[in-house]
Amino acid sequence: MNVYFEDRRLLPIREKVEAGERLSYEDGLALYRTNDLLALGYLANIPRERMHGDVTYFNVNRHINPTDVCVASCRLCAFGKQRRDPNSYTMTLEQVWETAGKGWTEQITEFHIVGGLHPELNLDWFCQMLRGLKERYPMIHLKAFTMVEIGYFARREKMSIHDVLVQLRDAGMDSLPGGGAEVFSERVRRIICDHKLTGDEWLATARTAHELGLNSNCTMLYGHIENEEDRVDHLVKLRGLQDETNGFVTFIPLAFHPQNTALSHIPSTTGFDDLKNIAVARLMLDNIPHIKAYWVMMTPRIAQTALRFGANDIDGTVVEEKIYHEAGSTVSQSLRRGELLRLIKLAGRTPVERDTRYRPVQRTETAFTVLV
Ligand code: V47
């Protein structure tokens, strides 16, 4: 195709992308350093359409955050609160089970469950929570706990990561979301999340989960104090682990939201950088099947545009969102299925409702069937 590249330095990368060759660390830097956004979109669309054609996935999901009490006090976070903070909350098990069934009329296929590192809730409490959800909602996939929560449970219970994961899996955890990875650079982590596990520990926990047959997602938090080298290093490390385990399903770039955090002086990301991060991720992560434009984080408008810049997933209905809304997000907390369909169709893509394992879901008025 005769496409004009304003940035001629991208031409060797174009050759590699067209030939389906893996991009190097230096290529990643060149992609981040260009302002030729249209060239990036063109390039990212090549593997996007090679892997998925026009198909764009969404799901009908619900987020549940059982507690916002957190011992970590990360500077990047506006969600976590001290136990003594009168504005903090911790649900009872009954409240978690009741919340799961509230606020949506369509049948949900996934619960996305993450929360703070609560000093008093033990592993048994979380296992009971999972068992109770499975009893009440047996058809619903439980995508629960970031690698950070898994690491905290292990430390608190003086157990190995492996044994914690086995207990949670046996209680009903089906897979893990991608949060908490932030940026792996230790220099950056010391400033934005110094009490959290290290980048290497995050990767080791993901490796153990994958070895146990538990899939997970992965993320990168950008738009704070990281530089381009940190971003590329993060992507290359995720790609390296995926070569070993093949356990990552979806990558979600997460734009830092500064409001109400200890880093509130940092300006919000721009649409330009949000689209660039989607495109570079699609180009560098040649072995991770899906790139998600999380509409809550990037607004429905930018998420829709991202479907032409490398993304093939727009996340789901969500229903109730706290992490970004505490940090200043002004978009709605929930999108209806019909609105997701509209966004995808008006980007010229073909919407496919999926379950968490990316199997197509077919709906009737009152029920859904997963097509296998
Ligand atoms: O772990 C926290 C990040 C993550 C802020 O796996 C912040 O399908 C921006 O991981 N500004 C939670 N980001 C969100 C997440 C996620 C979202 C959607 C889908 C999936 C998936 C995963 O958000 C946290 C942290 O990395 N975060 N605070 C903030 N102020």
Side-chain angles (χ1 to χ4, degrees):
M1 207 168 133
N2 198 12
V3 176
Y4 178 71
F5 273 34
E6 209 172 279
D7 185 347
R8 312 302 286 171
R9 288 168 306 182
L10 295 180
L11 292 177
I13 298 182
R14 175 180 179 168
E15 277 179 30
K16 281 191 180 178
V17 173
E18 284 173 348
E21 278 175 40
R22 175 161 280 193
L23 301 185
S24 66
Y25 176 89
E26 287 70 29
D27 293 331
L29 280 183
L31 293 171
Y32 270 124
R33 287 179 180 157
T34 188
N35 285 322
D36 193 350
L37 188 63
L38 292 182
L40 277 185
Y42 169 78
L43 288 175
N45 208 38
I46 295 173
R48 192 267 191 231
E49 291 192 357
R50 207 180 269 150
M51 293 163 109
H52 306 288
D54 262 335
V55 165
T56 296
Y57 293 100
F58 70 98
N59 71 351
V60 177
N61 64 348
R62 189 196 212 290
H63 284 208
I64 306 172
N65 307 117
T67 179
D68 65 356
V69 170
C70 190
V71 296
S73 346
C74 296
R75 288 194 185 88
L76 69 91
C77 183
F79 171 71
K81 312 235 171 6
Q82 304 253 321
R83 190 160 43 102
R84 282 180 296 278
D85 186 330
N87 295 320
S88 70
Y89 73 89
T90 300
M91 296 182 191
T92 61
L93 285 172
E94 287 70 23
Q95 283 170 333
V96 174
W97 300 327
E98 199 187 310
T99 302
K102 264 202 310 214
W104 207 244
T105 49
E106 281 166 326
Q107 285 202 32
I108 278 164
T109 61
E110 170 190 282
F111 290 136
H112 174 139
I113 309 164
V114 294
L117 309 179
H118 195 300
E120 277 151 24
L121 297 181
N122 61 18
L123 184 60
D124 186 54
W125 189 91
F126 287 101
C127 288
Q128 280 187 59
M129 177 189 86
L130 294 170
R131 276 193 222 97
L133 287 169
K134 275 287 176 210
E135 263 167 44
R136 289 163 180 79
Y137 312 98
M139 295 285 285
I140 300 186
H141 182 109
L142 303 183
K143 184 178 80 179
F145 311 121
T146 63
M147 304 306 160
V148 180
E149 290 167 272
I150 301 296
Y152 182 67
F153 297 152
R155 190 149 59 87
R156 195 186 176 285
E157 306 287 333
K158 299 188 176 52
M159 285 168 68
S160 68
I161 298 281
H162 174 278
D163 291 353
V164 167
L165 287 165
V166 168
Q167 280 208 19
L168 291 169
R169 183 191 63 186
D170 293 349
M173 177 178 76
D174 294 303
S175 70
L176 294 93
E182 321 313 0
V183 160
F184 295 138
S185 150
E186 289 311 312
R187 174 185 54 78
V188 173
R189 291 180 94 80
R190 266 199 298 280
I191 296 168
I192 67 167
C193 57
D194 51 345
H195 302 299
K196 236 176 211 171
L197 40 63
T198 65
D200 284 346
E201 286 167 339
W202 191 97
L203 288 161
T205 307
R207 180 184 288 107
T208 308
H210 298 173
E211 283 166 358
L212 283 165
L214 289 160
N215 283 127
S216 79
N217 290 341
C218 52
T219 56
M220 176 177 77
L221 186 73
Y222 64 92
H224 40 90
I225 57 157
E226 87 291 358
N227 58 31
E228 285 142 355
E229 284 86 354
D230 298 324
R231 292 181 183 186
V232 180
D233 173 71
H234 187 93
L235 297 179
V236 168
K237 283 187 172 141
L238 289 175
R239 186 172 76 180
L241 180 57
Q242 180 74 341
D243 279 341
E244 277 179 54
T245 66
N246 206 26
F248 290 128
V249 181
T250 304
F251 174 76
I252 310 117
L254 296 171
F256 176 56
H257 281 42
Q259 214 175 303
N260 304 324
T261 74
L263 301 171
S264 59
H265 57 285
I266 294 178
S268 299
T269 65
T270 58
F272 197 94
D273 203 22
D274 294 339
L275 291 174
K276 191 186 264 191
N277 270 283
I278 290 281
V280 179
R282 180 62 291 163
L283 288 162
M284 292 301 290
L285 300 176
D286 52 16
N287 53 2
I288 297 187
H290 306 285
I291 304 291
K292 186 186 282 186
Y294 181 39
W295 63 263
V296 174
M297 176 272 292
M298 48 172 40
T299 75
R301 284 163 187 248
I302 300 281
Q304 182 195 36
T305 312
L307 302 181
R308 293 268 158 197
F309 281 79
N312 67 295
D313 189 315
I314 198 165
D315 205 75
T317 46
V318 178
V319 182
E320 213 179 354
E321 203 287 329
K322 294 196 167 71
I323 296 174
Y324 282 88
H325 285 81
E326 294 276 341
S329 170
T330 51
V331 304
S332 152
Q333 289 201 34
S334 163
L335 278 187
R336 298 197 67 90
R337 192 172 174 279
E339 182 58 11
L340 291 166
L341 285 170
R342 192 176 83 91
L343 287 172
I344 297 169
K345 282 188 192 153
L346 292 181
R349 298 300 198 190
T350 308
V352 173
E353 185 183 340
R354 61 165 179 89
D355 70 354
T356 313
R357 299 187 201 286
Y358 284 82
R359 295 174 301 191
V361 168
Q362 204 167 51
R363 284 186 183 268
T364 61
E365 290 268 307
T366 51
F368 67 82
T369 322
V370 175
L371 305 174
V372 277

